[in-house]
Amino acid sequence: PEYDLSPDDIFKGHTVAVLQLYTGEQFTFDEPTAAIRRAPLDCGPNAAEFEAGLKRSCQLWVISGSSAELPVEHLALIKGLVEARKGLFVWADNDPYTAAANQILQALPETRGLELKGNYFADKVLCEAAGKGSDKGVGFTKHLTTTGLEQLYEGITIAALNGPSGQRRTLIRSSDGAVVTACHDRDQKRILIDGGFTR
């Protein structure tokens, strides 16, 4: 089926770069690393280390921090990654952990009108959304990133993604109907945006 689970070891040999800006609550990337069974490349803070890490990677995952701290050089390298048709996953959470994510969204022409904001109490379990189309209601839509899901905990406090619907495809609407996860997938440029990294 189109949305079936991926076979074991399909990701073997691929490297994912991770730029972790959030460090609160003793948050580490240990558990996700074990889940994907491939040690992520932890890109260093200087531009040369960051560039070297991106060259070896097929994707970049950014876990947003509470300040817009990314240097112009890093933003240019992220833009180059998108132009090179490599995947970008921008993870945020409730305010103020949207700052670096929004800095990236504003730096990219594909997402410039989008903004993550809010501190919404969620704490519910979502199922597949009913109806047709990508903006069809509360829950998650069928997409490669939701493959195999039957339920999804939305998180306790999360941010919503605001901005023109023409710039994104909704993947998850929270229990209050706000868009919390979306993607941009045009011209082989793939950007995933999520307002609840603690989910």
Side-chain angles (χ1 to χ4, degrees), residues 18-174:
V18 177
L19 182 60
Q20 182 176 326
L21 303 172
Y22 176 78
T23 57
E25 302 171 349
Q26 292 80 43
F27 180 78
T28 69
F29 210 72
D30 294 342
E31 289 181 22
T33 297
I36 59 176
R37 286 186 248 163
R38 174 94 176 143
L41 180 66
D42 191 8
C43 291
N46 74 55
E49 289 176 10
F50 189 59
E51 183 175 19
L54 293 183
K55 283 183 180 176
R56 296 190 305 265
S57 304
C58 63
Q59 299 177 31
L60 170 64
W61 296 0
V62 179
I63 305 170
S64 185
S66 60
S67 63
E69 59 196 47
L70 287 171
V72 173
E73 297 84 8
H74 280 60
L75 294 171
L77 290 167
I78 292 170
K79 185 176 179 184
L81 174 114
V82 172
E83 289 295 324
R85 285 22 183 205
K86 294 184 176 184
L88 173 62
F89 189 178
V90 180
W91 260 332
D93 207 63
N94 57 275
D95 288 334
Y97 304 107
T98 56
N102 284 328
Q103 189 182 12
I104 293 168
L105 295 178
Q106 296 313 305
L108 300 173
E110 297 80 8
T111 56
R112 190 161 286 136
L114 301 177
E115 179 184 26
L116 287 154
K117 65 180 178 179
N119 190 2
Y120 303 103
F121 184 78
D123 201 28
K124 301 222 177 5
V125 175
L126 303 173
C127 296
E128 186 177 328
K132 297 186 180 217
S134 65
D135 278 326
K136 58 187 179 180
V138 170
F140 55 88
T141 61
K142 283 192 176 190
H143 185 267
L144 289 175
T145 58
T146 58
T147 297
L149 291 182
E150 293 182 16
Q151 296 181 328
L152 177 69
Y153 178 66
E154 61 185 336
I156 293 187
T157 50
I158 56 178
L161 181 65
N162 301 286
S165 61
Q167 285 188 289
R168 48 119 177 119
R169 175 183 172 197
T170 300
L171 298 179
I172 302 173
R173 282 188 179 273
S174 63

